Amino acid sequence: MAIRNLRYQGDDILKKKSKEVPEEEISSEKIQTLIDDMIETMHKYNGVGLAAVQVGVLKRVVVIDLYDDKGPIVLINPVIVKTKGEQEVEEGCLSFPNEFAKIIRPAEVVAEYTDRDGKRMQVKAKELLAQAISHEVDHLNGEVFIDKIIPGTLEYVEPEEN
Ligand code: NI
């Protein structure tokens, strides 16, 4: 496993659409290593989610970890099939260090995805998980949160020294 280099605000790759991973490639060492590296990279930077494009790989692979008892979730080729309601939330992104803003996300989402074992799954999510899935699927479509924030809510938070 390895920490991958993050792509940051201003990098054109963040605006590109990621490609689906063919089902037969999911078990490949290349994809499995990508997943492991993405989880390690997300954890290193204390992120809640990471899309492959953020480490420079234009594939529809997402990892999410709410740091609860479920552990990291891997979503390959995720599709949001249903949304319900709205929530106004505070949001950040590992590609936009120290920037936070308010944004409207769906209150609930139903998403279909393939897990790292190649099994097609469905998740019904609300609150932070719904927000995270929505944010990460946006990344796969070349969309970044900063383009849809509530105007005037952007804040810069200085990182803590350690
Ligand atoms: Ni992000």
Side-chain angles (χ1 to χ4, degrees):
M1 296 216 287
I3 305 288
R4 303 246 180 154
N5 289 329
L6 285 173
R7 300 301 189 96
Y8 294 107
Q9 182 168 25
D11 191 321
D12 281 346
I13 200 168
L14 294 174
K15 306 273 176 165
K16 290 188 178 156
K17 200 170 167 170
S18 296
K19 290 201 174 71
E20 281 210 9
V21 181
E23 300 283 315
E24 67 273 16
E25 283 179 23
I26 290 172
S27 62
S28 70
E29 199 184 328
K30 194 174 172 183
I31 295 296
Q32 293 293 320
T33 302
L34 172 67
I35 292 165
D36 288 335
D37 289 356
M38 285 173 63
I39 292 170
E40 197 178 347
T41 305
M42 170 176 67
H43 285 160
K44 177 177 168 65
Y45 295 104
N46 303 311
V48 168
L50 188 69
V53 61
Q54 293 180 275
V55 294
V57 179
L58 286 168
K59 292 183 190 294
R60 300 183 86 80
V61 178
V62 161
V63 296
I64 290 173
D65 197 341
L66 303 186
Y67 301 94
D68 58 10
D69 54 5
K70 290 199 183 95
I73 313 166
V74 178
L75 302 96
I76 301 163
N77 303 331
V79 180
I80 293 173
V81 293
K82 198 174 163 189
T83 65
K84 191 177 161 191
E86 289 184 341
Q87 54 175 337
E88 185 183 310
V89 285
E90 184 85 8
E91 196 160 298
C93 176
L94 291 181
S95 294
F96 296 77
N98 312 321
E99 293 183 38
F100 298 90
K102 291 206 164 80
I103 186 165
I104 306 289
R105 292 291 184 190
E108 293 179 30
V109 306
V110 178
E112 291 176 359
Y113 64 96
T114 304
D115 71 10
R116 67 181 303 169
D117 301 317
K119 196 173 165 202
R120 200 69 185 160
M121 309 285 282
Q122 191 184 74
V123 60
K124 191 174 177 191
K126 56 184 181 177
E127 297 165 354
L128 182 57
L129 185 58
Q131 178 188 0
I133 291 171
S134 177
H135 177 112
E136 301 309 331
V137 170
D138 278 355
H139 272 303
L140 302 182
N141 295 327
E143 295 169 17
V144 289
F145 86 112
I146 216 87
D147 291 337
K148 36 168 83 172
I149 60 172
I150 299 172
T153 65
L154 183 62
E155 287 185 66
Y156 296 86
V157 177
E158 288 296 320
E160 283 175 37
E161 300 288 336
N162 51 20

